[in-house]
Every structure is written in structure tokens, then in C-alpha cells.
Amino acid sequence: MAGDTIITVIGNLTTDPELRWTQSGAAVADFTVASTPRTYDRNTGEWRDGDTLFMRCSVWREIAENVAESLRKGMRVIVQGRLTQRSYDTQQGERRTVVELQVDEVGPSLRRARAQVTRVQTQPASAGGFGAGSASGAGGGGWAPSASLDAGQHDPWGEPATPSEPPF
């Protein structure tokens, strides 16, 4: 959306993602990413760690379930989303304000790791297909199963493309 503050944070998960469900049945996963900048000190010839940013993150619906099943404490992740600010009152009556990241995209960093990606089956293209739902990706969209592809369409997650098709 216009006016949203979009950021990307790269860091390590401080705990396993915590999966829960709202009263309406929507899944939400909460996790914290610790991101520590490193700078090279030319005077000493050493790398120095800066102050660590602990970014609280929330991700919703199907992606929340995928996050909870795929990511674990200590994993290096790349998280992109919208910064949000909310206020609440403590039990002592104090007003607190927190800044959180509402996650749109998340995945493991492959800088020092390997990942095996498994496509999750979603609703057929005729029921919404890729890009259905809200602008934040919170809808039920996703790649349609290969069985629902129209004749002549290439499933990018299926078999390799034939020479007459583009290699994507």
C-alpha cells in the first residue's frame, strides 16, 4: 500500500516461531529476528559487531503455518514486510508502544545453508489462483496444482521445460 514502510531484515531467529490461531480460525506465527551489523575496523584489522536489532515479526494465515513447519531457532532468515506501530496498556496501567514487522515474505538465507523447497498444494486456479486475495498476499492464492493447468501451460515446479518453452 502507498505510505507503508517496507523493510528487509536479515538475521537469525531467536526462538522457534510460535504458531497460534485467532478466535476466527486464522493462523498467526510470531518470531523475533536478531540482526547484528558488522563493520571492519581498518585500524585494528578486525571485524566489530554493532548493536543488535531484535525485530518482532508476525506472519498470518497459510504462510504462518509454513513458517512454523519450516524455520527453527538459530536459522538465518530473510524477512520482508511492513513496519507497524501499536500501543497497549500494561496491567499496571502504563501505556506502551511497540514497533513490529508484519511479514509479507520470509525464507531461509542460503549464504551458509542449503534448503529443500517443497511446494504446498493450494486451491485450484479457478478458485482464485495466483495473486488472489488481498494486496498483502493474505488471500488463499498460490501456484495451482499441475493437474489444474490448462493445456499448453508449463508448471514451473514440475518437469523441466521442453526446448520450445522458455526456461523459467
Side-chain angles (χ1 to χ4, degrees):
M1 281 185 156
D4 284 349
T5 304
I6 307 292
I7 67 166
T8 301
V9 177
I10 302 171
N12 296 64
L13 294 180
T14 61
T15 61
D16 289 348
E18 179 184 327
L19 182 64
R20 58 187 171 82
W21 283 265
T22 64
Q23 289 180 349
S24 64
V28 60
D30 297 313
F31 56 93
T32 300
V33 176
S35 180
T36 306
R38 297 195 81 190
T39 56
Y40 185 73
D41 185 337
R42 291 183 184 191
N43 295 330
T44 64
E46 296 177 348
W47 287 94
R48 299 215 184 266
D49 287 342
D51 294 333
T52 301
L53 168 70
F54 292 93
M55 180 58 63
R56 191 73 181 146
C57 302
S58 294
V59 63
W60 291 81
R61 296 175 184 76
E62 184 179 359
I63 190 172
E65 295 180 56
N66 294 344
V67 163
E69 289 183 26
S70 303
L71 302 177
R72 297 287 170 258
K73 175 183 177 178
M75 287 184 169
R76 187 165 181 82
V77 294
I78 303 168
V79 181
Q80 185 177 46
R82 296 163 280 115
L83 279 181
T84 59
Q85 178 177 303
R86 66 179 176 87
S87 298
Y88 65 95
D89 294 320
T90 66
Q91 291 179 345
Q92 294 77 24
E94 299 172 329
R95 188 80 170 154
R96 299 277 172 95
T97 301
V98 295
V99 175
E100 299 173 321
L101 187 62
Q102 292 296 319
V103 176
D104 294 320
E105 298 287 342
V106 58
S109 169
L110 300 181
R111 180 178 294 259
R112 294 187 182 95
R114 292 183 183 159
Q116 178 72 31
V117 178
T118 304
R119 179 175 64 160
V120 176
Q121 297 293 322
T122 60
Q123 62 188 347
S126 61
F130 184 75
S134 70
S136 67
W143 287 102
S146 59
S148 68
L149 292 175
D150 294 332
Q153 280 187 309
H154 175 70
D155 179 2
W157 291 88
E159 295 298 317
T162 60
S164 63
E165 296 177 326
F168 55 89

